[in-house]
DNA sequence: AAAAGTTATACATATTTTATACATAATCTT
DNA sequence: AAGATTATGTATAAAATATGTATAACTTTT
């Protein structure tokens, strides 16, 4: 078997001069922070030279950010050491503004602006909030905008690529950390828009699940071997309303009798074909991502008994 | 048992001066690296002269890559030694080994292992080397494996999602840093495998281009508005061999007459439909990514005059 | 014989490390 | 308000490391 550790041997380590250049913080100061507050504890070489990781650098950037906003270094240190959740002192309902900015950026194919807005939102709110407050409404808005405009397909592709990269990176990053139950997630055949599954996967990750993500348009017959090989704890499918309920029933039915683990179905079909889904002994999921995950969790527990 | 190399005959060997010229590393320094850290252990002639392989040169490029990012040579050495000490099964070519590991990981839908191997390769070699030596052959290998096996579609989806996330994250990260000429990149209609475009985009980024990536299956009529709005410097399309050359000609022809910037076509079609591409006044690109980029660069220069 | 390689030793310079000191501003005490 | 204390960035010194390059004395290639 392959016994490769998800270790830090793959993480890159930088000497203090590089970190100093990159962050603009005097190396003397970096050392002082470490000595005085225990902030940033870089690894050391055998001879004692400091080795900073990218993560450390990100942390420093975060510190600089707060410094620039007037916080004292001592306070920041206490915050970080106690991992105190920062109070979100932002009462502005900026979602509409965010959305407008993003639409403009997309129209210009301007990845810089697009990213700036998105990052700004992400720095203030957790993923699932950004997802439900910004991304979902935005996708809807864009759907309308794209009805019949020239360049709209290109816009859609551009934004799809961007968003998939962004969410995908996050998914990947988080997935490697999780140790909870394993879920197989896939889109139903005919479903080409994988954002539903991807967003769902992200929500799942935030609840600690491990997710095996199989993307769009997968024949359900493919799922049995996957479930067998991976010993997953559940299967989650998602599909939009455009699917045929009868056809769906047949597929689900054969899948459910082929595997011993529970099968969930989310997305719009869960609404439109609810009866057929239940008749096939699969479990429909509400559209609300978080609620859906709760159902999955409790069902898995019941199943484990 | 170490010096039983089965593929010596096929491997070319270079003397130190050549390696020095090729990499820009002083030969004195190369020897110092070897003496001090045991980095790069080239074969020797019976009289002791060093013989470097292409793989050694790739490794050196990888080292230079990391040096340029601010890591210290000592640390790089420690990393590499630690890594190579991890597995001593040096009978197979390193790339074959990587490939085999990745195939195994995919068959198990094991993202951890998959990621470990990929990261391992990426920490030793620069992107374009990993791309051409590992990813491309791997995709080909997988294509064969997937011909008629159960679970193969799921495997393909799984790996696609993984690789797209991985490459996409890299693309996104790098793209925001670049300031060079702007290229619009897209797949031709009917082309659903966007890896070609994505890999090409990554190579482009490594040469400093900014890339507007539009993904798979885009109608060519969409490209005019994009070119207008973004003031891009060139358009690069990619497609596999399965496209109809005549149809391609019509599309290219109308595109080329609609825009003032050069239009390039890469991927297998560049080979199979070369005539039609040239007749449409587009520019076919060789399959080799790096070479293709060179053509793009020189063409843009000519166009700028 | 000239050019290029090899090892081994020696430098020169740049970086790092720890520890101590200092300067200035903010905060607290009396 | 004056003085003491704390907070925080920076400076400096002395020793240890890190790292590219040079040189000497031979050997091998061309």
């Amino acid at each position: 078997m392959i016994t490769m550790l998800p270790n830090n041997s793959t993480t890159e380590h930088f000497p203090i001069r590089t970190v100093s250049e990159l962050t603009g913080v005097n190396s003397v100061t970096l050392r002082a922070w470490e000595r005085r507050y225990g902030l940033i504890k870089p690894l050391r070489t055998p001879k004692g030279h400091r080795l900073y990781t990218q993560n450390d650098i990100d942390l420093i950037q975060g510190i600089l950010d707060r410094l620039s906003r007037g916080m004292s270094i001592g306070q920041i240190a206490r915050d970080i050491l106690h991992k105190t959740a920062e109070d979100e002192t932002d009462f502005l309902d900026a979602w509409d503004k965010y959305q407008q900015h993003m639409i403009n950026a997309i129209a210009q194919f301007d990845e810089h602006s697009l990213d700036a807005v998105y990052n700004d939102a992400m720095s203030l709110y957790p993923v699932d909030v950004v997802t439900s407050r910004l991304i979902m409404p935005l996708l809807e808005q864009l759907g309308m905008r794209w009805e019949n405009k020239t360049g709209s397909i290109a816009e859609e592709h551009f934004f799809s690529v961007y968003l998939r990269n962004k969410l995908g990176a996050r998914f990947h990053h988080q997935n490697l950390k999780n140790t909870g139950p394993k879920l197989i997630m896939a889109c139903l055949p005919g479903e080409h828009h994988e954002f539903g599954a991807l967003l769902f996967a992200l929500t799942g990750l935030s609840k600690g699940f491990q997710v095996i993500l199989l993307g769009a348009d997968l024949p359900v017959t493919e799922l049995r071997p996957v479930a067998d090989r991976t010993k997953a704890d559940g299967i989650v499918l998602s599909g939009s309303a455009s699917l045929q309920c009868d056809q769906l029933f047949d597929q689900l039915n054969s899948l459910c009798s082929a595997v011993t683990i529970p099968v969930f179905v989310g997305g719009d079909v869960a609404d439109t074909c609810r009866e057929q889904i239940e008749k096939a002994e699969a479990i429909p999921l509400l559209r609300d991502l978080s609620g859906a995950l709760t159902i999955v969790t409790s069902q898995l527990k019941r199943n484990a008994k």
Side-chain angles (χ1 to χ4, degrees), chain A:
Chain A
M1 257 303 161
I2 309 166
T3 44
M4 289 230 194
L5 304 172
N7 56 8
N8 50 18
S9 73
T10 57
T11 4
E12 311 202 309
H13 297 109
F14 302 92
I16 197 168
R17 68 169 180 283
T18 303
V19 178
S20 181
E21 274 167 28
L22 249 40
T23 62
V25 180
N26 194 322
S27 57
V28 182
T29 308
L30 283 174
R31 282 191 282 261
W33 285 356
E34 181 183 343
R35 173 165 32 85
R36 289 172 179 157
Y37 317 105
L39 263 184
I40 323 279
K41 12 147 203 95
L43 297 178
R44 300 298 189 104
T45 70
K47 294 305 177 67
H49 286 204
R50 289 170 174 79
L51 293 173
Y52 294 84
T53 65
Q54 182 60 50
N55 208 20
D56 293 327
I57 296 175
D58 291 343
L59 247 163
I60 294 170
Q61 300 286 12
I63 291 170
L64 287 178
D65 192 57
R66 286 189 250 190
L67 274 181
S68 74
R69 275 186 275 150
M71 239 178 277
S72 76
I73 185 65
Q75 189 53 47
I76 296 170
R78 262 166 305 216
D79 275 11
I80 289 181
L81 293 184
H82 297 161
K83 285 182 181 168
T84 1
E86 313 127 41
D87 49 330
E88 306 294 334
T89 50
D90 229 280
F91 311 116
L92 293 174
D93 184 21
W95 296 116
D96 282 345
K97 233 180 293 176
Y98 279 138
Q99 189 174 315
Q100 199 48 54
H101 278 169
M102 288 186 87
I103 289 176
N104 289 341
I106 292 167
Q108 300 302 315
F109 301 94
D110 182 348
E111 189 171 343
H112 274 95
S113 306
L114 189 56
D115 200 50
V117 179
Y118 180 80
N119 287 337
D120 195 52
M122 286 296 289
S123 72
L124 292 175
Y125 305 90
V127 215
D128 49 324
V129 174
V130 175
T131 297
S132 62
R133 284 280 173 66
L134 178 57
I135 300 302
M136 299 284 235
L138 178 62
L139 285 172
E140 201 162 325
Q141 193 68 25
L142 288 172
M144 288 163 56
R145 175 186 157 88
W146 288 333
E147 292 276 280
N148 39 26
K149 258 197 157 179
T150 55
S152 60
I153 301 181
E155 280 185 18
E156 181 182 0
H157 283 218
F158 171 74
F159 183 59
S160 296
V161 169
Y162 169 81
L163 189 60
R164 223 177 35 209
N165 285 350
K166 208 72 184 174
L167 299 180
R170 193 176 189 88
F171 166 80
H172 174 70
H173 183 71
Q174 184 63 43
N175 201 19
L176 294 178
K177 289 184 173 178
N178 282 6
T179 56
K182 258 188 222 166
L183 293 180
I184 298 170
M185 284 199 191
C187 298
L188 284 166
E191 172 64 48
H192 286 279
H193 288 285
E194 47 193 314
F195 284 117
L198 189 47
L199 291 173
F200 201 5
L202 282 173
T203 314
L205 290 183
S206 72
K207 311 282 182 192
F209 287 104
Q210 295 181 72
V211 177
I212 295 163
L213 189 58
L214 297 176
D217 198 23
L218 189 79
V220 285
T221 52
E222 289 282 312
L223 289 169
R224 231 274 292 246
V226 182
D228 290 347
R229 282 190 228 163
T230 59
K231 290 169 191 146
D233 301 287
I235 298 177
V236 180
L237 302 171
S238 95
S240 66
S242 60
L243 299 174
Q244 298 289 331
C245 289
D246 293 342
Q247 218 176 325
L248 178 66
F249 170 76
D250 292 339
Q251 297 177 330
L252 281 182
N253 202 29
S254 66
L255 174 62
C256 287
S257 54
V259 299
T260 58
I261 55 179
V263 176
F264 306 87
V265 179
D268 290 342
V269 269
D271 236 10
T272 54
C273 306
R274 182 165 186 156
E275 276 183 34
Q276 284 86 349
I277 292 172
E278 287 177 336
K279 205 165 65 169
E281 302 200 353
I283 300 155
L285 295 175
L286 310 175
R287 265 216 294 283
D288 164 51
L289 293 180
S290 230
L293 256 299
T294 311
I295 295 179
V296 173
T297 307
S298 66
Q299 182 62 39
L300 287 188
K301 260 185 212 149
R302 196 177 319 161
N303 201 254
K305 288 177 187 172

